[in-house]
Amino acid sequence: PYISGNVGSGTVQEMSEWIEYLTRETGSPLADLRRANGRERPWPVRFWGLGNETWGCGGNMRAEYYADLARRYGTYCRDHGDNRLYRIAAGANADDYAWTEALMRTTGDLGCGCRPHDHFQAVSLHYYTHAGDDWSDKGAATGFSRDAWYRTMLRARRMDELIARHSTIMDCYDPHGRIGLAVDEWGTWWNVEPGTNPGFLNQQNTLRDALVASLTLDAFHRHARRVSMANLAQVVNVLQAVLLTDGDTLVRTPTYHVFEMNKGHQDAASLPVHLRDHPTRDVDDGVLETVSLTASRRDERVLLSLTNVEADTARPVTIEWRGGTARPARARLLTADRLDGHNTASAPDEVRPRPFDIAAEDAADDAAGGRLRLELPPASFVTVELTVTR
């Protein structure tokens, strides 16, 4: 659980007492009240947001004002027993680098013998991807054009730049990386599905959403030193959901499958990856790198994640590795017959992973020499598991 406290219209005492009520075992009136309400043991709630989007709907605050408020709230959000809080200050909206700088500046001169990371252990970052010209028309979730496809991929790629620049600011004040960057709202945001309640933010989830997820997860992976938390918005039925429900039916979305295919990276060691040749495409006023790759190792297994966002063009890829020999163990492919391919209650498996054939003769010959050749289909996400020996 990750609870966001009310910094906009609440009080320090209110938030402090909620933490005590939930997390303190004994020895206080609030712990006694919890037990009287039927819960004997405390809840181990570690993650607490010191407000949410305080630059906008959370209070329309100035950065300097909120930075002082975060220190104040963080002071009274106390640890109880063995529950150690991870306090997350409400950070920037997209490229508001001045907001991050104002927050991090307060970690320098704390006084009272406090350490820089005593008041909060992370700052948040929110960034959503859409294809429209502005928030009033974000584009449709399905039936979009190729231009909208590429515009979306270019904007998804921007996550890497945002993390890099916010991290650079954080490095100036926190060179040892004690304060994390929590990208606790990210994902695609389209116009709501026709005929649904606009307030419910219901949208379909397609292959396009899946590749936005794969590109974004790659960005988090590349910046694992600083990114301590990343939360897709949201989980079921809303925005970029991993699950959709329809009556008694539950459907796994293409985004779900990207998460499932990537789960081998969890608790693994990130491996440095260097792309020698970056295939690109001009999109609007930017340049889109069309291939993305990350890798990790856990024990004797290496997992490679590869994305090709070219809508119509396959991309040959040659992978070299150093420091041992590797044998392909399994490869999987996620793609669809059309760019807006998606799953429904009547067709729940239209977009799903399937085995991916890495030319066996090439794999057998080249793996011993440290090379693996494969061809990424258009609009695809591929994972390759390797068994590594020294």
Side-chain angles (χ1 to χ4, degrees):
Y2 172 15
I3 295 178
S4 180
N6 183 3
V7 170
S9 62
T11 65
V12 172
Q13 180 177 349
E14 178 186 34
M15 188 169 177
S16 175
E17 289 181 347
W18 268 115
I19 292 171
E20 184 176 333
Y21 176 89
L22 290 171
T23 66
R24 188 179 179 93
E25 187 164 9
T26 60
S28 81
L30 288 167
D32 293 341
L33 177 60
R34 183 193 66 247
R35 288 197 299 274
N37 286 339
R39 171 75 179 191
E40 182 66 27
R41 296 186 57 78
W43 286 277
V45 182
R46 183 186 179 202
F47 301 108
W48 288 83
L50 305 178
N52 178 61
E53 296 193 347
T54 50
W55 38 261
C57 59
N60 288 306
M61 302 176 191
R62 295 183 305 110
E64 292 75 15
Y65 174 81
Y66 172 72
D68 286 339
L69 208 60
R71 288 177 58 171
R72 182 182 173 211
Y73 272 78
T75 299
Y76 290 99
C77 292
R78 298 190 173 100
D79 298 333
H80 294 280
D82 294 332
N83 192 67
R84 293 291 177 263
L85 301 187
Y86 193 82
R87 305 163 187 84
I88 302 172
N93 178 29
D95 59 357
D96 189 350
Y97 303 115
W99 187 280
T100 297
E101 205 277 334
L103 266 179
M104 294 303 298
R105 192 167 59 240
T106 71
T107 67
D109 181 19
L110 299 181
C112 305
C114 295
R115 296 169 297 174
H117 53 290
D118 276 348
H119 297 136
F120 49 84
Q121 288 70 54
V123 298
S124 69
L125 170 65
H126 289 184
Y127 178 66
Y128 288 96
T129 301
H130 63 86
D133 294 328
D134 56 50
W135 283 99
S136 63
D137 183 7
K138 297 177 282 294
T142 59
F144 47 81
S145 65
R146 268 171 169 64
D147 286 344
W149 166 275
Y150 286 118
R151 193 179 311 121
T152 300
M153 297 305 161
L154 180 65
R155 293 176 180 181
R157 277 288 205 176
R158 192 176 177 221
M159 180 65 84
D160 198 290
E161 173 192 333
L162 293 173
I163 296 174
R165 292 191 174 190
H166 285 289
S167 296
T168 298
I169 295 168
M170 296 174 75
D171 287 344
C172 294
Y173 298 91
D174 177 37
H176 300 294
R178 293 189 177 97
I179 298 175
L181 182 64
V183 190
D184 59 9
E185 285 193 34
W186 69 271
T188 54
W189 196 334
W190 314 116
N191 298 336
V192 299
E193 291 299 304
T196 65
N197 186 322
F200 293 169
L201 302 181
N202 178 271
Q203 61 185 45
Q204 185 51 261
N205 191 284
T206 72
L207 178 65
R208 178 174 62 167
D209 299 274
L211 297 198
V212 168
S214 67
L215 293 176
T216 305
L217 291 172
D218 280 354
F220 298 152
H221 196 170
R222 282 189 286 269
H223 296 280
R225 174 183 172 271
R226 183 63 77 173
V227 176
S228 59
M229 173 186 283
N231 313 64
L232 180 68
Q234 294 182 12
V235 180
V236 180
N237 288 342
V238 180
L239 298 184
Q240 191 173 352
V242 297
L243 299 171
L244 298 176
T245 63
D246 183 359
D248 294 333
T249 303
L250 184 144
V251 175
R252 288 176 283 195
T253 68
T255 295
Y256 171 96
H257 293 302
V258 167
F259 272 76
E260 189 276 327
M261 293 168 70
N262 262 322
K263 67 183 181 183
H265 290 308
Q266 189 169 9
D267 296 326
S270 180
L271 296 178
V273 174
H274 305 282
L275 290 176
R276 290 181 180 174
D277 179 25
H278 291 269
T280 61
R281 166 183 286 269
D282 292 334
V283 179
D284 294 337
D285 56 352
V287 177
L288 170 64
E289 294 182 4
T290 56
V291 172
S292 180
L293 168 66
T294 55
S296 68
R297 178 171 178 170
R298 180 168 53 186
D299 300 324
E300 301 307 314
R301 288 281 175 145
V302 167
L303 177 64
L304 308 176
S305 296
L306 307 99
T307 304
N308 176 19
V309 302
E310 282 286 1
D312 305 298
T313 306
R315 287 294 181 188
V317 176
T318 300
I319 299 167
E320 290 185 26
W321 55 84
R322 311 285 169 82
T325 60
R327 297 282 177 181
R330 183 172 72 152
R332 302 166 75 196
L333 165 69
L334 184 73
T335 188
D337 294 333
R338 61 184 196 277
L339 296 179
D340 69 345
H342 56 276
N343 299 329
T344 63
S346 59
D349 292 320
E350 179 175 334
V351 185
R352 60 181 174 83
R354 60 178 185 262
F356 183 54
D357 185 19
I358 304 175
E361 63 278 9
D362 288 344
D365 293 339
D366 293 338
R371 288 176 181 264
L372 180 68
R373 295 190 183 96
L374 63 153
E375 185 168 280
L376 300 177
S380 68
F381 175 61
V382 170
T383 56
V384 180
E385 297 177 23
L386 304 174
T387 301
V388 179
T389 57
R390 292 197 175 273

